[in-house]
Amino acid sequence: PRPTVSASTASNIIRVLIAYVFMVPTLGALRGQEPPESDEGQKCVRRLPSRAYGGLMSDDLSQAFGELLDELRAVERKFRTTDPPLDEPDVLDGYRLAFSLLRVAVDAYVWGDKDNPRFVDVIGPYLKWGGDNSDAFYQLAPVDPARSYRVSGNRGDSVYLSLTVYGGPDDGHYSNRIVRTLNQRSMEFDADGNFEFLLTGLDDDAVVALTRDYLDNPETDRRATWTIAALDPPARRRDDPADLTRRLRAAKTWISEQLSFIPTRVAPPNEIHEPFPVPQNAYGWSAADAAYAMGAYDLRPDQALIIEGTSPECVFWNLCLWNPFLHTYDSAYERVTINGAHVQHEPDGSWRIVVSDRDPGHPNWVSTAGRERGLIWLRWFLPEETPHRPVCRVVDVAQVPR
């Protein structure tokens, strides 16, 4: 027989279901409180009374949650109000960027656990921001300078891998210095590529560890694996409203800081600026053992940018095209980056890379993926010297030498 439900019971069930779907206004109505109305463009944070859920909620926590959501909306305002306006493909990327930034902020600051950390991906095919490229994998874990950790893994087929510990503020602001760096030249591997070392005795301002591993053939090569474990983790995770409030505000701050330097424009176009050497200091999560160079392109569909240069001895180098948010185009369809293992060199060891929308038939062609304007980024890991400045010239696509 079918179970019967009285009218009063059904009414209570419906009320509970509504409360789950419309949690904030329903709880307010049950207490005789009308939810606040929000005018167009006005920030409105609906707060649960502090008594809700046994007193676990607080006005500060609700406010921090609302501020994080407001900051996500600020991403859209930033790219939609840029002057001069962004091209349509970049606007579309701007919406995707908002979710990449949110995901990294949540993983790093809301979920990240210094007492019992784990490495999580912060760069990937669907996770583009802050200078990504399709040849690499990046992972991040928060660290506590008062603790010691065991780091282990396997290098896979990586031609470059490293772990960098960054120091600075612990409130979501970008790190302002490098505390420690280990790369394949300072790590020990067994015959199978396994490694293990202790991360201990960190400076008092150490806040985060970031791994990098670069592959010549990222579609087929084995990526490195990384594991981090606290030597003496606590028996239970600490969790309280004040701590979660702090975490939400750190996530909001990190997103705000990312917005402070995007969209990025480089002038003049169709040039590469002078490469800068391996840095002694760092802002953000940059590498301590790489040289970099930056430029931009601005091309008609029938034009090509020829970039000619040389690379010093190094373990890895590549050239990437970026949008103004410092992230690569979709490499699943076209070659929008190229690394040294795939560059065909001239007899004298120099190289020529061609950037254009249409395929000119050159072996070192890098596609603009239909974008008339964009950024160019080169990096060299563990270079023996600072690279020389590449030379650029614009030609008709039909004039590109093959």
Side-chain angles (χ1 to χ4, degrees):
R2 291 185 177 180
T4 58
V5 179
S6 67
S8 61
T9 301
S11 177
N12 288 333
I13 292 174
I14 292 172
R15 178 171 293 188
V16 171
L17 291 175
I18 292 175
Y20 273 101
V21 178
F22 303 105
M23 183 66 73
V24 174
T26 301
L27 284 175
L30 289 174
R31 291 172 172 80
Q33 303 167 359
E34 290 298 324
E37 296 180 359
S38 58
D39 296 327
E40 183 66 26
Q42 181 180 4
K43 294 180 182 178
C44 174
V45 179
R46 294 177 172 178
R47 300 186 181 90
L48 285 173
S50 59
R51 300 187 306 276
Y53 303 109
L56 292 180
M57 302 293 286
S58 70
D59 284 347
D60 283 347
L61 179 57
S62 180
Q63 181 70 28
F65 181 73
E67 291 170 355
L68 177 56
L69 297 185
D70 288 340
E71 196 62 38
L72 191 64
R73 176 66 73 180
V75 179
E76 182 191 36
R77 288 197 300 271
K78 184 71 178 285
F79 67 73
R80 289 187 67 92
T81 60
T82 296
D83 186 24
L86 297 174
D87 296 333
E88 181 179 278
D90 297 331
V91 172
L92 299 180
D93 279 346
Y95 283 102
R96 300 183 185 97
L97 172 73
F99 293 106
S100 289
L101 294 181
L102 179 63
R103 178 176 164 187
V104 174
V106 169
D107 282 350
Y109 296 103
V110 179
W111 284 108
D113 185 1
K114 297 180 178 183
D115 293 335
N116 196 13
R118 66 180 64 188
F119 285 118
V120 295
D121 286 342
V122 291
I123 291 291
Y126 300 144
L127 195 54
K128 295 175 177 288
W129 64 280
D132 71 284
N133 73 96
S134 59
D135 295 315
F137 297 93
Y138 287 53
Q139 293 190 307
L140 177 142
V143 294
D144 181 348
R147 289 195 173 276
S148 297
Y149 305 94
R150 177 175 289 105
V151 178
S152 59
N154 184 279
R155 68 176 301 165
D157 294 319
S158 60
V159 293
Y160 169 84
L161 79 163
S162 67
L163 180 144
T164 306
V165 179
Y166 297 94
D170 193 19
D171 57 1
H173 284 97
Y174 239 167
S175 303
N176 54 30
R177 76 183 191 93
I178 292 173
V179 172
R180 189 177 303 176
T181 293
L182 295 92
N183 58 43
Q184 66 239 47
R185 292 181 177 174
S186 55
M187 297 165 60
E188 295 182 359
F189 305 91
D190 67 16
D192 297 320
N194 298 310
F195 61 85
E196 181 176 303
F197 57 87
L198 291 180
L199 197 60
T200 188
L202 298 173
D203 292 356
D204 290 342
D205 64 341
V207 292
V208 68
L210 185 75
T211 70
R212 292 174 170 85
D213 44 284
Y214 278 71
L215 304 169
D216 285 337
N217 305 285
E219 297 297 328
T220 57
D221 289 349
R222 296 171 301 137
R223 63 178 290 188
T225 59
W226 296 85
T227 301
I228 184 170
L231 296 189
D232 187 21
R236 178 172 293 176
R237 179 188 176 108
R238 181 175 69 90
D239 201 13
D240 58 63
D243 182 62
L244 184 54
T245 299
R246 178 190 63 80
R247 290 169 174 272
L248 292 173
R249 288 189 167 138
K252 180 261 183 186
T253 297
W254 187 84
I255 294 176
S256 176
E257 191 132 317
Q258 296 300 310
L259 292 183
S260 68
F261 52 81
I262 57 174
T264 298
R265 291 186 170 96
V266 176
N270 303 322
E271 289 188 18
I272 304 293
H273 289 253
E274 192 72 36
F276 49 95
V278 173
Q280 299 303 312
N281 298 292
Y283 169 74
W285 297 334
S286 59
D289 47 14
Y292 300 103
M294 192 174 194
Y297 71 87
D298 189 342
L299 301 167
R300 298 193 310 266
D302 61 346
Q303 290 181 317
L305 179 65
I306 297 178
I307 306 172
E308 296 174 316
T310 59
S311 290
E313 286 295 322
C314 58
V315 298
F316 178 92
W317 71 274
N318 70 2
L319 178 147
C320 305
L321 300 185
W322 286 345
N323 65 19
F325 307 120
L326 310 181
H327 78 60
T328 54
Y329 310 147
D330 192 343
S331 62
Y333 292 87
E334 304 172 81
R335 184 165 68 185
V336 294
T337 71
I338 189 170
N339 68 50
H342 296 273
V343 168
Q344 290 194 23
H345 292 76
E346 300 297 313
D348 63 356
S350 64
W351 45 260
R352 177 184 295 129
I353 295 174
V354 179
V355 175
S356 63
D357 181 50
R358 288 163 30 195
D359 184 355
H362 193 280
N364 297 336
W365 173 52
V366 177
S367 172
T368 62
R371 303 178 189 236
E372 295 184 1
R373 284 166 288 276
L375 302 176
I376 305 169
W377 184 258
L378 295 102
R379 72 191 87 205
W380 296 264
F381 279 104
L382 300 177
E384 292 191 355
E385 61 182 7
T386 301
H388 298 294
R389 182 181 182 181
V391 177
C392 301
R393 56 192 169 97
V394 176
V395 301
D396 291 339
V397 172
Q399 297 176 337
V400 173
R402 301 188 180 187

